[in-house]
Amino acid sequence: MRQVSRWMMVCLAAGLLVACGGDGGNSTPPISITPTPPGEPAFGLQGKPALKDLRFPAAGVSSGEIRFSKAFPNLSFSAPLWFGQAPGQPGRAYVAEQGGRIWVFDFNAAVTAKTLFLDLTDRTRANGEQGLLGVAFAPDFASNRVVYAYYSKNTAPDVNAGNATVERFTVSADGLTANRSGTVFFSEPDPFNNHNGGSLLFGPDGMLYLALGDGGSGGDPQNNGQNLGSVLGKVLRFRPDGSIPADNPFVGTSGARGEVWAYGLRNPYRASFDRGTGQLWLGDVGQNEYEEIDVVTKGGNYGWRLREGMHDFNTTDARATVPLIEPIFEYSHDLGCSITGGVVYRGGAIPQLAGQYLYSDFCSGTVWALQHESGQRALANVELGSVPNPSGFTEDLSGEVYITAYDGFVYRVEPNTAAPGSTPFPQKLSETGLFTDTAALTPNAGLIEYEINAPFYSDGSRKRRWFGIPEGSVVGFSTAEKYDLPVGSATVKHFEITLANGSTRRLETRVFLRYADGWQGYTYKWNAAGTDADLLAGSEIETIVVRADDGSTRAQDYEYPSRAACLNCHTAAAGVPLGVRTAQLNRSRVYPFTGGSITDNQLRAYNGVELFNRDIGAASQYVVQTNPTDTTAPLAARARSYLEVNCSQCHQPGGPTGTDMDLRLTTPTASTRMVGVAPTGGDLGIAGAQRIRAGNKVQSLVWERMRRLDSNRMPPIASHVVDEAGLALIGQWIDAGAN
């Protein structure tokens, strides 16, 4: 069993590399290379292109223009785990340290001094995950001067056990000092030095909530999480005086503790109330494989130890007597090992994050924004950046978000504006240097135009694609997985569509740039004249009338993605440039040269000018991605290729979904957890539904979600037109047995 001490471990790197597999059953014959005729270039490329003269800032702009800056760079702390402000005290801020001290200081970036507000080191056990774990100012602090602390009380001589204690303190009129003689109104034995939870907070109902772990004993062998007679593995609810509210869900229930508000939790580390909706969000640390995010409701059972995330964990015990509530989202330990729950963003500085749940992982340090549908269903999980060993998320009085980190600093989440004197970010496509003639789409000499075997469905639009790498660099080749494009690389994808009158409309050009800390994406929307494109700050939806392939016309919504939304499909797990990989590139295209043109295989052309980090040999030895529209190819190869291209970037290990399907082509169908598997996110009212029910598409949620345009649609974002050809293909494959 994994026993991770989030406080003592060093930060682990997030593992995003997935295993290689076979050819996924693809039987499309490889391309043969015709010898070069005399007098023509030896390869499609006449030299190794080098990307130069781009006019982007050296450091780029992070996803959604977000950065994490030290809010108080002149102040550092020892293992800080909570930051906050007191109601009615806009000029002051407070930080709590795990060891037992709370500091107060002026709320401004230039502050250089801090004052000791409350010292609880003599009564706090800071061992492993124990310590001063939560602070809550009373909502009416401006008038009553009351603050609460949750800490592990020292119960010597046992070096591991400590009572989970909540104590109430009064504060001086100036807000600078708390009286150390407080009133304890809750103190319960907690037998181990981990799984201590770590949240104390007031709800919009004026009640005080406390999140406690299951006791820290491996897989919870005492079954505390499911035992209503124990306070461990629970969210508890009190009146401000420590008494139990009469409307708590288990008051009067035989054998149950009246304090319990919700249960079935393993180690609820950091909870918060959405100040916009009043919903209680919580990050629950997993056991061996999965971390989860829950939206907690009165009396809810969140499954532990019967479930870890959305997966069975210990099913030897009798099942729960009430329905278990699944998390809104989970992620595997490919991305981290210990969730740090966050907050729903309701500030005003970053409008593109409004309503999104910001959270992180203590091990990897990655910070994500979870996009969701009213706290009911996760839509996308976008990586924003990283902070070293984040220990907590909190808000200031205006709703801006701060992160405490174990490097000793408090970080502020803020817009990433260019520093004075730095290169301004290009607001028009013509200013980027990607094209020497933007209106004619004449690319920078360092960009390589490429074609792919199986395009992603994009609501009827057509695309052109380029990529480039900087001078002196090479591409890390992979047979079956993502390529390693070096820092300084760029990929470009241009979208067009045919309008009802038969003319071509330029829609957008998307750009991905590779920086030292990862890929960043940007969308440029073309003007009506088709002469230039403007950088978008957020997403936009436009209704256009188009002509379909069959000659019919229709009005459709077309969505231009925001900068953050670019990474919804171009996930880190899948490799951000989705088309730049062997199976997609293994095809011929026409390469023009002075006086003529040559048809060459793209892999052969790249290898011939030493674009790769090694000699890859003949292109004929590598698999070719099946085009789903190729009716001469086997049905299974076409269907699995469609799911690979359109779905696997999210549905794979480490992907940003709340399900455990693995739709990569290299994963055998029997191992994908899609065929014959019951749904975990609801059955849409379909009796006998499975993710895919072999032989019956109408009972298959994969097919059902593809044909919808409501909130249950897949993909859930940026698509407003059903892919009728793809739907027919997947339906035919399912009805044929989904083998």
Side-chain angles (χ1 to χ4, degrees):
M1 299 294 183
R2 176 176 67 90
Q3 294 293 326
V4 176
S5 172
R6 62 186 296 124
W7 312 116
M8 305 303 292
M9 67 180 294
V10 296
C11 185
L12 303 175
L16 297 178
L17 190 62
V18 292
C20 295
D23 64 5
N26 191 336
S27 61
T28 303
I31 297 170
S32 59
I33 305 301
T34 303
T36 304
E40 291 190 2
F43 302 100
L45 294 178
Q46 300 179 54
K48 181 180 178 181
L51 194 56
K52 302 177 182 178
D53 303 323
L54 297 188
R55 296 189 287 274
F56 294 98
V61 179
S62 64
S63 182
E65 288 196 348
I66 308 305
R67 69 179 180 186
F68 310 106
S69 63
K70 292 178 180 177
F72 315 103
N74 300 314
L75 295 183
S76 63
F77 305 88
S78 175
L81 49 74
W82 178 88
F83 162 85
Q85 289 189 280
Q89 301 280 300
R92 294 202 180 94
Y94 302 80
V95 166
E97 298 175 334
Q98 184 189 357
R101 292 184 176 91
I102 303 174
W103 301 91
V104 60
F105 50 91
D106 291 341
F107 185 52
N108 68 73
V111 62
T112 59
K114 59 188 178 184
T115 301
L116 189 60
F117 173 73
L118 178 62
D119 188 350
L120 300 177
T121 54
D122 62 338
R123 66 193 82 174
T124 300
R125 166 165 285 146
N127 176 30
E129 296 178 8
Q130 296 173 324
L132 173 57
L133 304 177
V135 177
F137 286 96
D140 50 355
F141 176 81
S143 60
N144 71 6
R145 289 296 194 266
V146 171
V147 65
Y148 300 76
Y150 161 53
Y151 60 92
S152 306
K153 186 173 180 60
N154 192 335
T155 53
D158 190 331
V159 297
N160 289 317
N163 281 8
T165 301
V166 177
E167 191 167 355
R168 183 174 63 243
F169 303 89
T170 58
V171 179
S172 60
D174 59 10
L176 294 176
T177 307
N179 187 337
R180 293 185 70 250
S181 298
T183 301
V184 173
F185 66 73
F186 176 83
S187 190
E188 291 282 339
D190 195 340
F192 292 91
N193 68 353
N194 60 351
H195 300 196
N196 305 108
S199 287
L200 184 70
L201 67 164
F202 276 93
D205 57 0
M207 300 298 173
L208 185 64
Y209 291 75
L210 172 66
L212 290 179
D214 65 8
S217 48
D220 190 18
Q222 291 83 26
N223 201 25
N224 288 325
Q226 292 296 313
N227 178 12
L228 288 173
S230 169
V231 295
L232 300 177
K234 311 292 191 302
V235 173
L236 310 179
R237 179 174 180 256
F238 306 90
R239 290 193 181 96
D241 63 3
S243 62
I244 298 173
D247 61 344
N248 274 9
F250 302 106
V251 169
T253 300
S254 177
R257 293 289 296 262
E259 302 98 323
V260 174
W261 180 257
Y263 63 111
L265 301 167
R266 180 179 181 272
N267 188 21
Y269 188 75
R270 294 308 185 223
S272 65
F273 282 97
D274 178 354
R275 61 171 64 189
T277 66
Q279 291 174 313
L280 176 58
W281 290 72
L282 179 148
D284 196 15
V285 180
Q287 178 77 14
N288 295 322
E289 298 185 61
Y290 299 98
E291 307 297 303
E292 70 179 74
I293 297 170
D294 297 302
V295 178
V296 178
T297 57
K298 178 179 180 178
N301 183 350
Y302 293 85
W304 178 254
R305 66 180 174 154
L306 303 171
R307 302 272 281 172
E308 180 189 14
M310 299 179 184
H311 312 268
D312 287 343
F313 180 79
N314 185 335
T315 57
T316 59
D317 298 321
R319 301 298 287 173
T321 57
V322 297
L324 303 179
I325 300 175
E326 295 280 40
I328 185 176
F329 185 73
E330 69 172 11
Y331 65 90
S332 75
H333 286 179
D334 290 331
L335 296 182
C337 73
S338 187
I339 190 171
T340 299
V343 298
V344 175
Y345 183 78
R346 297 294 180 184
I350 319 172
Q352 60 266 42
L353 286 183
Q356 298 182 38
Y357 179 69
L358 310 185
Y359 73 101
S360 187
D361 187 279
F362 182 79
C363 305
S364 69
T366 307
V367 179
W368 294 279
L370 183 70
Q371 300 172 6
H372 58 94
E373 187 179 80
S374 303
Q376 303 299 314
R377 184 168 72 95
L379 299 176
N381 193 46
V382 179
E383 181 177 330
L384 299 180
S386 62
V387 169
N389 298 123
S391 58
F393 285 70
T394 46
E395 301 167 281
D396 64 17
L397 294 177
S398 66
E400 299 306 325
V401 176
Y402 294 76
I403 307 172
T404 50
Y406 263 42
D407 65 349
F409 292 96
V410 178
Y411 290 83
R412 177 182 167 93
V413 183
E414 62 186 16
N416 191 1
T417 55
S422 67
T423 302
F425 200 91
Q427 299 299 301
K428 293 184 178 295
L429 188 61
S430 59
E431 298 170 355
T432 64
L434 289 167
F435 296 94
T436 56
D437 186 334
T438 303
L441 284 182
T442 304
N444 181 306
L447 286 177
I448 303 168
E449 186 163 10
Y450 67 97
E451 298 172 5
I452 61 176
N453 286 312
F456 180 88
Y457 175 70
S458 299
D459 285 7
S461 62
R462 301 181 303 277
K463 287 160 274 190
R464 292 177 65 184
R465 304 166 178 85
W466 298 264
F467 77 94
I469 62 174
E471 188 171 16
S473 61
V474 292
V475 174
F477 179 81
S478 173
T479 300
E481 299 297 338
K482 58 188 177 183
Y483 284 178
D484 182 13
L485 273 66
V487 172
S489 297
T491 67
V492 182
K493 186 159 58 174
H494 174 75
F495 293 73
E496 298 180 345
I497 203 164
T498 301
L499 299 179
N501 62 8
S503 64
T504 295
R505 162 81 180 275
R506 289 178 173 176
L507 296 169
E508 58 176 309
T509 299
R510 300 179 190 172
V511 181
F512 277 97
L513 303 174
R514 173 69 194 277
Y515 291 98
D517 58 352
W519 290 90
Q520 297 174 16
Y522 309 94
T523 299
Y524 288 87
K525 179 184 176 183
W526 283 83
N527 59 29
T531 56
D532 206 347
D534 297 306
L535 179 68
L536 293 184
S539 63
E540 292 185 12
I541 296 179
E542 177 185 8
T543 301
I544 53 180
V545 182
V546 303
R547 176 175 294 179
D549 292 339
D550 62 4
S552 63
T553 61
R554 67 170 182 264
Q556 71 173 61
D557 288 340
Y558 184 86
E559 184 167 345
Y560 302 88
S562 66
R563 301 169 198 174
C566 288
L567 296 175
N568 291 344
C569 292
H570 293 266
T571 64
V576 172
L578 301 177
V580 185
R581 57 190 65 210
T582 296
Q584 285 280 33
L585 294 171
N586 196 0
R587 59 169 291 160
S588 293
R589 75 177 305 270
V590 176
Y591 291 88
F593 64 93
T594 303
S597 63
I598 182 175
T599 299
D600 198 359
N601 178 279
Q602 293 178 131
L603 296 181
R604 180 181 183 274
Y606 303 161
N607 195 51
V609 296
E610 300 181 349
L611 192 73
F612 295 122
N613 59 341
R614 63 179 175 87
D615 183 353
I616 69 169
S620 58
Q621 67 184 296
Y622 300 111
V623 68
V624 178
Q625 183 93 33
T626 300
N627 190 322
T629 65
D630 180 7
T631 56
T632 66
L635 177 62
R638 295 169 58 206
R640 286 300 312 277
S641 181
Y642 183 92
L643 295 173
E644 154 89 359
V645 171
N646 291 279
C647 309
S648 72
Q649 59 268 40
C650 292
H651 290 286
Q652 66 169 275
T657 70
T659 62
D660 59 354
M661 288 192 297
D662 182 0
L663 300 186
R664 293 173 298 168
L665 189 59
T666 53
T667 303
T669 300
S671 301
T672 59
R673 288 193 56 79
M674 63 174 170
V675 181
V677 178
T680 57
D683 60 10
L684 302 183
I686 299 173
Q690 294 180 345
R691 290 174 175 173
I692 288 182
R693 181 175 287 278
N696 191 334
K697 64 176 178 287
V698 298
Q699 288 184 301
S700 300
L701 292 186
V702 168
W703 182 82
E704 176 65 22
R705 290 184 185 276
M706 284 179 61
R707 76 186 192 94
R708 291 187 175 225
L709 290 176
D710 59 13
S711 60
N712 294 300
R713 171 154 174 74
M714 284 293 168
I717 56 172
S719 179
H720 301 273
V721 180
V722 172
D723 182 2
E724 297 292 351
L727 181 68
L729 169 63
I730 297 303
Q732 182 185 2
W733 174 63
I734 293 172
D735 285 345
N739 295 313

